[in-house]
Amino acid sequence: MTASEPVLDPSSGRTGAATAEPIAVRRLRLDYDSDPLPKYFMEDELMSHVVAVLSALFPEGEDFFVRSVRRYRDRITDPVLKKQVAGFIGQEANHGREHRNFNARLQALGYPTARVDRLVRRGLAVNEKTRSPEVCLAVTAALEHYTATLAEVLLTDPEARAKFTSPEVRDLLVWHALEESEHKAVAFDVYQQVVGDQTLRARVMREITFWFLFDSITQTTLSILADRDARRPTVLWANLKKLRTSPWLSKAVRQRIADYNRPDFHPDDFDNAELTALWRDRLFGSEGSLAGKVRAPRARDDVKAAAAA
Ligand SMILES: [Fe+2]
Ligand SMILES: [Fe+2]
């Protein structure tokens, strides 16, 4: 890890600085036309299947997050939070679009992203029919804690980024990670302001942990079983052994996830101001690696963001 990168430390102090930070909506043009995407775009077959499954979960999952938060926008009285909700909605809409493009490419390579997308859509539709809006919002806040925690591993740990062997895929995930970190407190703050039930919040987190792990492991297993190269016992065993040292499965990460169930938890307990400033500069500063890929905002995006607020 370089000295300039903040460390993922679950005990780092809360400043609340991120709460007042405006959330920028950036439309990117991530074209993949330079070279064909390699089948295995991560360091090994297993990680490629894991990332493909996670990517397949995102578009429908993030649409659900947006609906869950948007349902409450009229009850948000804090003008700063209202603006942040608009930024959150804009960022998630862009993530969904870019991951849909990426998922279509993964499907063409043989990953079952379309099937996973269908299953997520059906599962979330059942959830929205049978659970209250408060529970849907609690589900969103819990899953946003997962995405922000995993995102901040990617942003803080060069070893995690080194696992991406395709620069295009790394760009997509690092951009997504930055924005997940930037808006990590929005759904949580909306939940606190309009629901505020800490027992429900912790109960939903326990449920979500079970379903998130169950669905991710099941879909990854099915994806690997359908891939002759990835399912070879010697390959699979060697890849599974590497998980013991995976930066995403470390003790610090497990602590960060579990920390959510503290009654006085807040996402800004891990102060990300320095981390997000560093990555905004690396990606979108004058020398930023993605600076040339930001599209001008369309007029109707501004109208949509205003309507969302
Ligand atoms: Fe996202
Ligand atoms: Fe998010």
Side-chain angles (χ1 to χ4, degrees), residues 72-113:
Y72 286 99
R73 71 180 172 197
D74 294 339
R75 288 174 54 190
I76 301 166
T77 50
D78 176 352
V80 174
L81 185 56
K82 246 179 168 0
K83 272 201 182 130
Q84 291 194 321
V85 166
F88 162 81
I89 290 173
Q91 287 192 337
E92 295 293 32
N94 286 340
H95 302 166
R97 192 189 52 251
E98 289 303 326
H99 276 278
R100 280 193 170 93
N101 289 343
F102 179 49
N103 293 346
R105 293 169 58 88
L106 293 175
Q107 180 72 34
L109 288 171
Y111 293 98
T113 52

Side-chain angles (χ1 to χ4, degrees), residues 58 62 91-92 95 144 176 180 183:
F58 281 133
E62 295 187 317
Q91 287 192 337
E92 295 293 32
H95 302 166
E144 283 284 280
H176 193 166
E180 287 305 318
H183 72 229

Side-chain angles (χ1 to χ4, degrees), residues 261-272:
N261 283 357
R262 247 192 312 116
D264 61 347
F265 166 84
H266 188 275
D268 293 342
D269 290 346
F270 174 70
D271 179 8
N272 64 354

Side-chain angles (χ1 to χ4, degrees), residues 287-308:
E287 308 274 295
S289 55
L290 294 180
K293 298 196 172 182
V294 181
R295 302 182 200 199
R298 296 173 309 180
R300 68 191 165 103
D301 287 341
D302 296 339
V303 172
K304 268 192 204 164

